Amino acid sequence: MRGEIDEANLAPETSLINKENQDSSATITTTLLLTTFVAVSGSFVFGSAIGYSSPVQSDLTKELNLSVAEYSLFGSILTIGAMIGAAMSGRIADMIGRRATMGFSEMFCILGWLAIYLSKVAIWLDVGRFLVGYGMGVFSFVVPVYIAEITPKGLRGGFTTVHQLLICLGVSVTYLLGSFIGWRILALIGMIPCVVQMMGLFVIPESPRWLAKVGKWEEFEIALQRLRGESADISYESNEIKDYTRRLTDLSEGSIVDLFQPQYAKSLVVGVGLMVLQQFGGVNGIAFYASSIFESAGVSSKIGMIAMVVVQISATGTCIGCFLVGLSFSLQFVKQLSGDASYLALTGVLVYTGSFSLGMGGIPWVIMSEIFPIDIKGSAGSLVTVVSWVGSWIISFTFNFLMNWNPAGTFYVFATVCGATVIFVAKLVPETKGRTLEEIQYSIGYVEL
């Protein structure tokens, strides 16, 4: 079991919560922008992989003669790979660093896309999809954590949500291209952002907080100065990170078992709860099989996919969106209204997609990257990310079967989960805006003042 910090050793002058923010780190530097761009190239890969299975479903199943069960496996095996990647991601990122971990995951993504491109039988499709999924699982933890650790508190929220923005962009571009080009070429195009990130990783700095955690103090100062600008005064921010990190060195490295101690209960409930609600709101069922939803509802799949691109990063109301889709399937049994019901399905999917992109698509990952202290961030992040991918697999694998059972009922269930999410966020999720990572963790009570 992990040791406790002796409160007598924490002198009042070390308290940082009530100090006036004296650093000049809120400037957006070229290095910060470049570093974020390279990191979120992985987010684009993430989005491309999610969006791949929907536009290619018709051509792929015809060319390789895949059954519903075989295509459901192809769609969902991505999340099985992601579960394994997520389970290992925290430990890998703690051992070799955030930057090297992104390069490690890209190697799996490149191999996976290449396997899909060369596939002539279903088994190699599944192998490729699994490898891409593994890389995605690692990305889903390390990218938001890396961005949160390199950005100053005044910019962290905006920069971290770029992770979700690039996921949405990856999905959108893949949807759009998949409406016009073949599935093999689309897989080949998926390798481009992988190569971009691999090249960029050679020129960006490591996370200063990770360097502090492993005791590389000189490299920590250099990396922080690069990110804040050569003329910036980093003394206040540097001292805050050093002070907090040194306190945490009194604790042993956190394991999965340690996460279930009382002091971590609130963060664990928030982190895990947000991921469960995110996935069981139906996002991956819609993302993976959007074209079949449109066809089942009587809308042209090509028109529907292009429309999804337009609203991918705007609009509001996941609960309303799911309800509208469910209602459209209910109205198909009413002859007088069956024609209008197809447009209701299109509207519902578009509202859901845009709302998710703005809200629950990014919030759980932002919160996960902020609320856990660095000594348990690897274990906690892995657990939370695994929970997300387990939920994703359950939804993506069962979605086609649920649609065969009761299309309207499926979306009414998703709508109920989305409604419950509103209550959960209002009651339990803490405000993190305008606070450093250390201040957030002080306020949760990880280190007593």
Side-chain angles (χ1 to χ4, degrees):
M1 196 62 68
R2 307 170 71 232
E4 297 294 332
I5 292 181
D6 183 1
E7 292 187 25
N9 292 331
L10 304 180
E13 60 267 21
T14 63
S15 174
L16 297 173
I17 292 297
N18 296 319
K19 282 186 177 180
E20 192 175 314
N21 187 1
Q22 301 168 4
D23 70 291
S24 59
S25 63
T27 304
I28 299 177
T29 64
T30 302
T31 301
L32 182 61
L33 288 173
L34 174 63
T35 302
T36 303
F37 170 77
V38 172
V40 297
S41 296
S43 309
F44 189 92
V45 176
F46 187 144
S48 298
I50 291 175
Y52 181 81
S53 63
S54 182
V56 303
Q57 182 171 1
S58 178
D59 290 341
L60 190 55
T61 51
K62 288 178 182 177
E63 183 172 334
L64 298 185
N65 195 28
L66 302 179
S67 66
V68 171
E70 287 175 323
Y71 196 80
S72 293
L73 177 61
F74 172 71
S76 64
I77 202 171
L78 180 84
T79 58
I80 297 175
M83 286 182 220
I84 298 172
M88 300 171 64
S89 61
R91 191 62 63 185
I92 294 170
D94 283 347
M95 287 177 59
I96 66 175
R98 307 339 188 187
R99 186 176 59 177
T101 301
M102 287 187 279
F104 173 79
S105 61
E106 282 293 17
M107 290 189 292
F108 284 88
C109 290
I110 290 172
L111 288 173
W113 284 122
L114 192 59
I116 293 172
Y117 171 72
L118 297 173
S119 293
K120 294 184 179 180
V121 292
I123 184 64
W124 284 110
L125 279 176
D126 294 339
V127 169
R129 188 81 164 158
F130 177 86
L131 291 174
V132 174
Y134 180 87
M136 278 178 55
V138 177
F139 274 135
S140 60
F141 168 77
V142 72
V143 171
V145 166
Y146 178 72
I147 296 174
E149 290 180 352
I150 66 171
T151 49
K153 66 181 182 180
L155 303 171
R156 191 181 62 248
F159 271 70
T160 307
T161 54
V162 174
H163 168 61
Q164 178 62 26
L165 177 64
L166 266 291
I167 292 175
C168 293
L169 186 60
V171 174
S172 299
V173 170
T174 305
Y175 279 168
L176 187 61
L177 292 178
S179 299
F180 300 101
I181 63 177
W183 61 272
R184 292 187 190 276
I185 300 300
L186 191 62
L188 202 60
I189 291 173
M191 296 173 60
I192 295 175
C194 302
V195 175
V196 169
Q197 186 178 56
M198 288 286 281
M199 295 173 61
L201 289 173
F202 289 101
V203 298
I204 64 173
E206 180 54 89
S207 161
R209 286 180 169 86
W210 180 80
L211 291 170
K213 176 180 180 292
V214 297
K216 297 183 177 181
W217 299 109
E218 185 177 347
E219 294 176 46
F220 156 75
E221 295 276 0
I222 293 171
L224 189 61
Q225 191 72 67
R226 279 186 65 192
L227 289 164
R228 302 296 178 258
E230 293 302 321
S231 61
D233 179 7
I234 63 169
S235 57
Y236 179 84
E237 185 178 13
S238 174
N239 289 335
E240 182 180 33
I241 295 172
K242 287 179 180 178
D243 181 71
Y244 189 76
T245 303
R246 283 168 176 155
R247 296 181 190 204
L248 291 176
T249 59
D250 292 343
L251 304 174
S252 61
E253 190 73 19
S255 66
I256 291 292
V257 174
D258 293 324
L259 296 179
F260 297 95
Q261 295 182 58
Q263 63 263 41
Y264 303 126
K266 181 177 180 180
S267 293
L268 204 59
V269 168
V270 170
V272 172
L274 283 173
M275 292 302 182
V276 169
L277 291 167
Q278 180 196 59
Q279 294 303 327
F280 283 86
V283 58
N284 281 328
I286 292 174
F288 286 15
Y289 306 112
S291 62
S292 64
I293 295 172
F294 289 132
E295 288 175 358
S296 297
V299 180
S300 165
S301 61
K302 184 167 291 189
I303 293 174
M305 299 303 294
I306 294 173
M308 281 184 68
V309 173
V310 175
V311 301
Q312 184 73 14
I313 38 185
S314 63
T316 182
T318 55
C319 179
I320 296 173
C322 281
F323 179 80
L324 289 175
V325 178
L327 184 60
S328 75
F329 282 107
S330 296
L331 293 178
Q332 283 189 346
F333 297 102
V334 182
K335 288 187 177 181
Q336 293 86 343
L337 299 175
S338 59
D340 295 331
S342 61
Y343 296 103
L344 198 60
L346 176 61
T347 301
V349 170
L350 298 184
V351 170
Y352 177 94
T353 304
S355 302
F356 184 86
S357 301
L358 278 179
M360 281 299 288
I363 286 174
W365 300 107
V366 174
I367 296 295
M368 180 273 291
S369 69
E370 295 176 335
I371 60 176
F372 295 111
I374 198 164
D375 65 313
I376 66 158
K377 186 172 284 186
S379 298
S382 290
L383 176 62
V384 170
T385 308
V386 166
V387 168
S388 173
W389 286 113
V390 169
S392 177
W393 176 80
I394 292 171
I395 295 300
S396 60
F397 184 74
T398 61
F399 185 79
N400 282 331
F401 300 104
L402 289 171
M403 288 289 285
N404 289 336
W405 162 70
N406 190 327
T410 299
F411 283 95
Y412 289 144
V413 170
F414 291 160
T416 301
V417 173
C418 293
T421 303
V422 176
I423 300 172
F424 182 89
V425 171
K427 296 292 184 181
L428 293 177
V429 177
E431 179 57 70
T432 61
K433 181 180 179 181
R435 292 173 164 182
T436 65
L437 297 181
E438 290 70 31
E439 288 171 346
I440 293 167
Q441 291 144 25
Y442 276 134
S443 69
I444 295 174
Y446 290 133
V447 177
E448 301 289 340
L449 293 180

